[in-house]
Amino acid sequence: MNVKERNRLLSAGQIDREDLWPRITEYEQRARTFRFSFGLDELPREPGVILVRGPRQYGKSTWLELELRETVQRFGPGTAYFLNGDELTTADDLERRIAEVVALFRPDARVRRLFIDEITAVADWETAIKRLADQVVLKDVLVVTTGSRATDIRRGSERLPGRKGKLARTDYLFCGVAYKDFRTLCRDELGDDTWIAYLLSGGSPVAAGEIWQHERLPAYFFEMIRDWVIGELARSGRSRQFLIALMRTLFAQAGSRTGYLKLARESGLANNTIASEYIEQLSDVLAVLPSFQWDASKDVPVQRRPAKFHFINLSVALAFAPDRLVHVEDFKKLPSRDRSRWLEWLVAQELFRRQAILGVPDPETIWYWASKEHEIDFVDHARNLYEVKTGRSGPMDFAWFPKVFPNRNLLVVGSNEFRAQSVRGITMEQFLLADGFPHPYPGEVDDTDAYNDFARF
């Protein structure tokens, strides 16, 4: 169904036709459907511009369609309309189509919402929004946009100062399925392997449903992810060959401190500048995060020192992995060193997801700390410290920590629980079930008070 026919039906309130909601129909036919959770639980009634960006295959378009339908159901015909960026060619075309749709809103509508899917497919889309805002065309309209080309959404948003309304928050990152929701629906079948299955899903609802239903990831999912990432970088002239070589290097250097010069040399890239540009674009598509060393005395990242490079979208990591993991047993058979990198990336993905939901201005703020003798894997935006361990560990492994950080606490994510004065160990599943740091042990016993004793600074 084309956009014009769709908007005609929305205007008439004829929303019971199944072909009006193709993504919702597909979503509801899945064996398992997962809740969308990325910090925007309910759309505001006030006018403004909301920008939602995120990776493909995470359900942005389905979420947008659900919100479109709910708006018409709740507020009546003539309150919500739709445009598809993939069907528009230029910013001028986008401006003209928006102006046409705005004229369709019912005069007495309590809310007016225009949903634009994949707006980043339109080059210079932000100029159309800017001109319409300056012409007061959008003064009573809430414009809700989605996009997969993260760099366009991010930088387009930065070029709309004062034109996004008075909303408290306008920028959102579309996050993957929360482990808590995945566990609720899948633990009966997956048992103690639930968190491993979640790791393999990468948080993608498509992959999560597949691994629950068939206990393995299908080849088509990996190909979709690879095509998306390669296509995004190819648009800016990047080489498919060098991208794949860079991905191999990221796997080989996982967990190690690596400078851009070494990254370039190992990947066959011309120089460190080219390597940093590739990493920046992988960061823009929310796939890879450069983690810089944290100077605790100055409370700043030291970007001139070698960085660690973490995948924050495990679907991308799995799609480009030298040895493809498709089943829980594949993960269990990995050597300890290989499991270690996947566990670190899972924690990095979860920390990024939490910071994105919170609306942290720079959710990529995930650093590491190191001295000549010791290292801490993660420092988040609130300067909470995390260490990831593959095997068992205990308080004596971190006897040095209170001496180096007398006024801080360390959370060790591993395979067992332990407690010391300023160091606490929890399992990976407990970490994934928690909402933040500090947090109690999830489970049948409420240990919140005991944990709050530990969490005092």
Side-chain angles (χ1 to χ4, degrees), residues 63-89:
W63 169 82
L64 183 141
E65 201 167 273
L66 286 165
E67 293 294 334
L68 173 62
R69 185 178 69 175
E70 182 183 356
T71 299
V72 178
Q73 289 173 336
R74 186 175 177 184
F75 299 105
T79 60
Y81 293 101
F82 173 82
L83 289 175
N84 186 350
D86 286 328
E87 298 179 6
L88 303 173
T89 55

Side-chain angles (χ1 to χ4, degrees), residues 47-241:
V49 179
I50 288 179
L51 308 163
V52 180
R53 59 188 171 97
R56 291 194 181 273
Q57 302 306 318
Y58 271 44
K60 296 185 308 298
S61 297
T62 302
W63 169 82
L64 183 141
E65 201 167 273
L66 286 165
E67 293 294 334
L68 173 62
R69 185 178 69 175
E70 182 183 356
T71 299
V72 178
Q73 289 173 336
R74 186 175 177 184
F75 299 105
T79 60
Y81 293 101
F82 173 82
L83 289 175
N84 186 350
D86 286 328
E87 298 179 6
L88 303 173
T89 55
T90 65
D92 290 339
D93 188 22
L94 174 63
E95 181 180 357
R96 177 179 58 81
R97 296 293 299 276
I98 290 176
E100 291 174 354
V101 170
V102 168
L104 300 176
F105 284 110
R106 203 176 68 233
D108 62 342
R110 286 183 290 165
V111 302
R112 300 180 180 193
R113 292 172 179 168
L114 173 57
F115 296 85
I116 308 177
D117 196 19
E118 293 297 343
I119 195 171
T120 54
V122 182
D124 299 321
W125 61 269
E126 72 281 355
T127 60
I129 301 294
K130 179 180 176 181
R131 289 197 296 256
L132 290 167
D134 290 344
Q135 297 165 16
V136 203
V137 173
L138 301 175
K139 68 182 182 68
D140 297 321
V141 180
L142 176 68
V143 181
V144 182
T145 70
T146 69
S148 299
R149 299 171 70 175
T151 177
D152 285 352
I153 285 280
R154 177 186 295 170
R155 291 161 193 172
S157 173
E158 292 168 353
R159 291 193 287 267
L160 291 173
R163 295 176 177 85
K164 293 187 286 183
K166 299 180 180 180
L167 302 176
R169 182 178 173 188
T170 59
D171 295 321
Y172 295 86
L173 292 176
F174 200 90
C175 302
V177 175
Y179 178 68
K180 188 179 299 183
D181 296 332
F182 180 82
R183 184 179 186 272
T184 298
L185 293 175
C186 301
R187 184 170 174 77
D188 286 347
E189 292 82 6
L190 297 172
D192 293 339
D193 294 334
T194 303
W195 73 267
I196 301 176
Y198 176 76
L199 182 156
L200 296 180
S201 78
S204 164
V206 174
E210 290 281 356
I211 202 165
W212 166 79
Q213 188 173 15
H214 304 294
E215 297 186 353
R216 62 186 301 111
L217 293 172
Y220 82 84
F221 178 74
F222 296 118
E223 293 309 308
M224 285 194 303
I225 298 297
R226 285 174 65 91
D227 289 347
W228 159 56
V229 174
I230 292 172
E232 286 294 324
L233 270 71
R235 285 190 183 95
S236 59
R238 300 299 173 196
S239 161
R240 180 182 186 275
Q241 176 184 351

